[in-house]
């Protein structure tokens, strides 16, 4: 049955009915809609609209419906306009006319807004948990690989040697920010729209604070017009998803590169790769490619909802029904990608030999040689130039910096002594980077222990 048939003399066109319906996707709000209705029933009892008996009947029936839904017993909902109409009809089948009292002082506008905030709150927490798991994996691997050296890159050109742990902890920082962003959003969006009616509020004396308490909201909205037309919380959630996807896309891209024969730094576990239907030798990193590719659709979700909302006059407009698929899709996608990335990272095999070998060509210790000269009184700019000349010389001879004899080096600067070879040793290069946040083993260990402590506290709060 329709929730709004009274003023119409003509039936809705079938095509229009189909076009207008959101049940195929908002059925996912079943749990939230039941929960919101439970809160509404209590508020109606307090306002004197439902008596004790009606309240009990309503709550029991709503709980039963929820159980039936969970058990997969509510199967055919075609023909219903949306989840709200469906639940009201099912409730009517159970308790008759009392079911029709539930909509007193409530519109689907505040109802759906409330459902959506509840959904976003629940999923933001789920995503935060998944991110904590990913952070756990990253720091676990970082600790495991704290003595593996590889080239760090700028412009995708070999730049300076770094520890693999340091690299992994860079992604730790990104996903930590993502985690904090989701948690932080939870503080901001925890506002209950229910009680705002269609847009102007409610005639009935609903105790909204009481209702918010029951539904686990921190506070209630203070403007009914904004409350029913606000989808900022969906947008914020999708934005947080895009940021997380972007980070996942970056690490995916890097791991894909590293797994090529050209780099040969890592091997991606066969369990997360696929073969080619034509080329028998292929092992493709599809898991990571998909995580990278799916980033596009989540960006799309954000742009799509931003565009839906941007021209809307206050208050509710049916355009807002389009909030759901974008929000659901962004949430679903980010969740499976985090879970997949965690699996791939946990199972990666590291070729430390290739990583170290890659540090030997490309003059990764050139900056260390310039620093060496600077420590001995040469202004850095001059030292930079001298080492530049040395590199040109090396390139002509096809040699590395450490291949050069002291006599050859002295031609470029007379401050060179025997200790230069220690200064440009790759391990020493790393371990001399001692400022906070640097790549030396000592510093990375310090960072990891700070982050591990942070992670422990966050996990205990979950
Ligand atoms: N299915 C609708 C949505 O998702 C519910 C709200 C309908 N409100 C209305 N005034 N027609 O937005």
């Amino acid at each position: 049955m329709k929730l709004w048939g009274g003023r119409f003399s003509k039936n809705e066109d079938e095509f229009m009915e189909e076009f207008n319906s959101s049940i195929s996707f908002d059925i996912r709000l079943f749990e939230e809609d039941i929960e919101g209705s439970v809160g509404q029933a209590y508020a109606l009892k307090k306002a004197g609209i439902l008596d004790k008996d009606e309240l009990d009947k309503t709550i029991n029936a709503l709980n039963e419906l929820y159980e039936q839904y969970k058990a997969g017993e509510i199967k055919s909902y075609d023909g219903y306009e949306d989840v709200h109409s469906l639940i009201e009809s099912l409730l009517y089948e159970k308790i008759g006319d009392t079911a029709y009292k539930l909509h007193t002082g409530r519109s689907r506008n505040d109802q759906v807004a409330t459902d959506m905030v509840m959904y976003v709150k629940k999923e933001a927490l789920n995503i935060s948990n998944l991110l904590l798991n990913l952070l756990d994996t990253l720091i676990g691997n970082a600790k495991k690989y704290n003595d593996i050296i590889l080239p760090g890159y700028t412009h995708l050109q070999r730049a300076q040697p770094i520890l693999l742990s340091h690299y992994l902890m860079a992604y730790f920082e990104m996903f930590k920010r993502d985690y904090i962003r989701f948690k932080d959003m939870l503080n901001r969006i925890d506002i209950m729209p229910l009680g705002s009616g269609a847009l102007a509020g409610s005639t009935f004396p609903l105790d909204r604070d009481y209702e918010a308490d029951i539904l686990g909201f921190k506070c209630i909205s203070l403007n009914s017009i904004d409350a029913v037309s606000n989808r900022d919380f969906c947008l914020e959630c999708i934005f947080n998803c895009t940021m997380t996807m972007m980070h996942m896309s970056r690490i995916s891209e890097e791991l894909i590169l590293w797994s090529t024969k050209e780099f040969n730094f890592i091997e991606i576990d066969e369990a997360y790769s696929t073969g080619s239907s034509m080329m028998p030798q292929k092992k493709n990193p599809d898991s990571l490619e998909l995580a990278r590719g799916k980033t596009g659709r989540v960006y799309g979700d954000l742009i799509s909802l931003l565009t839906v909302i941007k021209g809307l006059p206050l208050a509710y407009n049916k355009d807002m029904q389009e909030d759901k698929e974008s929000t659901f899709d962004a949430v679903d996608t980010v969740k499976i990608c985090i879970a997949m990335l965690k699996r791939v990272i946990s199972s990666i095999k590291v070729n430390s030999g290739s990583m170290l070998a890659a540090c030997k060509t490309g003059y990764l210790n050139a900056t260390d040689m310039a620093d060496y000269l600077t420590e001995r009184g040469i202004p850095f700019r001059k030292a930079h130039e001298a080492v530049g000349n040395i590199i040109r010389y090396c390139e002509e001879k096809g040699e590395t910096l450490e291949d050069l004899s002291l006599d050859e080096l002295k031609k470029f600067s007379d401050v060179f002594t025997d200790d230069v070879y220690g200064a440009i040793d790759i391990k020493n290069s790393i371990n001399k980077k001692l400022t906070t946040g640097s790549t030396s083993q000592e510093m990375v260990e310090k960072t990891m222990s700070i982050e591990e402590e942070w992670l422990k506290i966050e996990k205990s709060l979950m």
Side-chain angles (χ1 to χ4, degrees):
M1 188 190 130
K2 294 221 170 350
L3 301 180
W4 43 263
R7 65 96 61 218
F8 287 79
S9 53
K10 201 173 168 184
N11 280 342
E12 193 182 8
D13 175 77
E14 258 181 48
F15 190 78
M16 168 59 189
E17 214 167 63
E18 177 93 34
F19 183 71
N20 191 37
S21 166
S22 53
I23 190 84
S24 62
F25 47 88
D26 69 14
I27 187 70
R28 290 181 58 160
L29 295 173
F30 199 97
E31 184 177 345
E32 286 77 10
D33 208 66
I34 291 278
E35 218 182 311
S37 294
V38 167
Q40 175 74 359
Y42 278 106
L44 289 175
K45 161 74 177 59
K46 200 165 179 221
I49 314 279
L50 293 183
D51 62 27
K52 174 78 177 81
D53 187 44
E54 288 172 320
L55 174 69
D56 291 346
K57 264 203 319 214
T58 308
I59 302 293
N60 289 339
L62 286 170
N63 287 337
E64 257 175 52
L65 277 179
Y66 178 63
E67 293 308 324
Q68 282 175 270
Y69 174 72
K70 276 274 149 203
E73 284 164 26
I74 298 172
K75 286 193 188 88
S76 75
Y77 32 79
D78 289 351
Y80 288 96
E81 187 179 324
D82 52 28
V83 68
H84 324 294
S85 340
L86 171 71
I87 290 180
E88 191 173 301
S89 298
L90 295 173
L91 198 62
Y92 178 76
E93 281 170 24
K94 284 190 187 293
I95 59 172
D97 273 349
T98 308
Y100 290 161
K101 290 194 172 181
L102 200 55
H103 218 53
T104 316
R106 182 175 75 169
S107 154
R108 277 183 298 165
N109 299 353
D110 58 345
Q111 187 177 357
V112 74
T114 305
D115 289 1
M116 283 303 279
V117 191
M118 291 200 291
Y119 166 83
V120 169
K121 273 172 57 179
K122 180 179 80 187
E123 291 299 354
L125 216 67
N126 288 337
I127 297 170
S128 305
N129 264 320
L130 285 168
L131 282 169
L132 277 188
N133 283 335
L134 179 63
L135 289 171
D136 228 13
T137 301
L138 282 168
I139 205 165
N141 276 22
K143 280 168 74 181
K144 187 160 123 201
Y145 298 133
N146 197 28
D147 53 356
I148 293 183
I149 297 173
L150 78 159
Y153 293 79
T154 64
H155 310 267
L156 205 53
Q157 307 286 330
R158 289 178 194 165
Q160 288 187 296
I162 54 166
L163 290 177
L164 181 54
S165 50
H166 196 47
Y167 165 88
L168 289 170
M169 289 305 286
Y171 280 102
F172 182 99
E173 294 301 326
M174 287 180 227
F175 292 118
K176 177 185 176 186
R177 288 196 293 276
D178 294 333
Y179 166 81
I180 292 172
R181 211 172 282 115
F182 275 105
K183 293 287 293 246
D184 182 45
M185 176 188 78
L186 275 173
N187 290 327
R188 199 167 23 255
I189 68 167
D190 201 356
I191 301 170
M192 186 191 75
L194 208 57
S196 301
L199 81 161
S202 165
T203 313
F204 301 94
L206 298 170
D207 185 341
R208 297 186 64 215
D209 288 306
Y210 169 71
E211 202 164 357
D213 240 22
I214 295 170
L215 295 181
F217 279 98
K218 221 158 56 193
C219 55
I220 59 175
S221 56
L222 293 180
N223 183 298
S224 59
I225 304 172
D226 174 54
V228 294
S229 55
N230 170 29
R231 291 296 182 273
D232 294 3
F233 58 90
C234 291
L235 287 165
E236 212 174 323
C237 175
I238 305 177
F239 172 76
N240 290 350
C241 293
T242 63
M243 196 74 132
T244 307
M245 288 303 300
M246 181 270 283
H247 291 148
M248 286 197 279
S249 186
R250 290 185 77 175
I251 194 169
S252 297
E253 165 68 14
E254 220 146 11
L255 296 177
I256 290 167
L257 270 179
W258 285 9
S259 71
T260 58
K261 286 279 171 287
E262 284 73 7
F263 272 84
N264 192 31
F265 283 1
I266 56 165
E267 271 164 55
I268 292 162
D269 199 281
E270 284 187 7
Y272 304 110
S273 313
T274 65
S276 154
S277 56
M278 184 175 155
M279 300 168 282
Q281 84 284 11
K282 289 296 288 289
K283 193 185 101 182
N284 300 323
D286 295 33
S287 47
L288 296 169
E289 289 171 288
L290 280 171
R292 186 179 58 186
K294 284 175 189 291
T295 305
R297 64 190 279 164
V298 179
Y299 287 7
D301 292 328
L302 179 64
I303 295 301
S304 131
L305 188 56
L306 277 171
T307 313
V308 167
I309 305 291
K310 91 179 210 338
L312 293 187
L314 296 177
Y316 178 85
N317 298 270
K318 196 57 173 270
D319 315 45
M320 293 169 80
Q321 179 164 287
E322 295 290 315
D323 61 351
K324 288 168 200 66
E325 286 156 296
S326 306
T327 310
F328 296 160
D329 184 67
V331 166
D332 291 345
T333 309
V334 85
K335 278 166 68 181
I336 46 164
C337 289
I338 299 172
M340 176 49 75
L341 191 61
K342 180 187 153 66
R343 284 175 160 77
V344 175
I345 292 177
S346 315
S347 59
I348 262 171
K349 198 173 146 273
V350 172
N351 299 336
S352 53
S354 309
M355 289 184 171
L356 189 64
C359 291
K360 301 264 161 75
T361 48
Y363 311 104
L364 276 77
N365 47 4
T367 312
D368 298 298
M369 187 176 263
D371 288 349
Y372 170 90
L373 293 175
T374 307
E375 276 159 15
R376 279 149 192 82
I378 313 279
F380 181 75
R381 198 45 62 219
K382 284 238 155 85
H384 186 283
E385 199 191 337
V387 178
N389 291 332
I390 296 172
I391 285 176
R392 194 146 35 85
Y393 175 79
C394 283
E395 271 181 339
E396 276 159 19
K397 293 192 62 182
E399 287 187 327
T400 68
L401 291 176
E402 44 277 71
D403 288 339
L404 300 183
S405 69
L406 195 55
D407 284 343
E408 283 174 297
L409 286 172
K410 276 190 184 296
K411 283 191 212 138
F412 296 92
S413 170
D414 54 14
V415 304
F416 280 119
T417 54
D418 238 0
D419 54 1
V420 65
Y421 298 103
I424 62 170
D425 172 76
I426 286 172
K427 251 200 180 122
N428 288 341
S429 155
I430 286 182
N431 285 329
K432 276 189 313 197
K433 307 288 186 306
L434 282 168
T435 50
T436 302
S438 300
T439 199
S440 62
Q441 208 151 10
E442 186 184 331
M443 255 318 138
V444 176
E445 257 155 33
K446 221 175 234 171
T447 307
M448 287 192 299
S449 76
I450 293 170
E451 296 298 27
E452 217 174 5
E453 200 46 42
W454 172 83
L455 199 55
K456 211 161 87 194
I457 295 169
E458 290 305 315
K459 282 203 303 208
S460 73
L461 293 175
M462 272 298 187

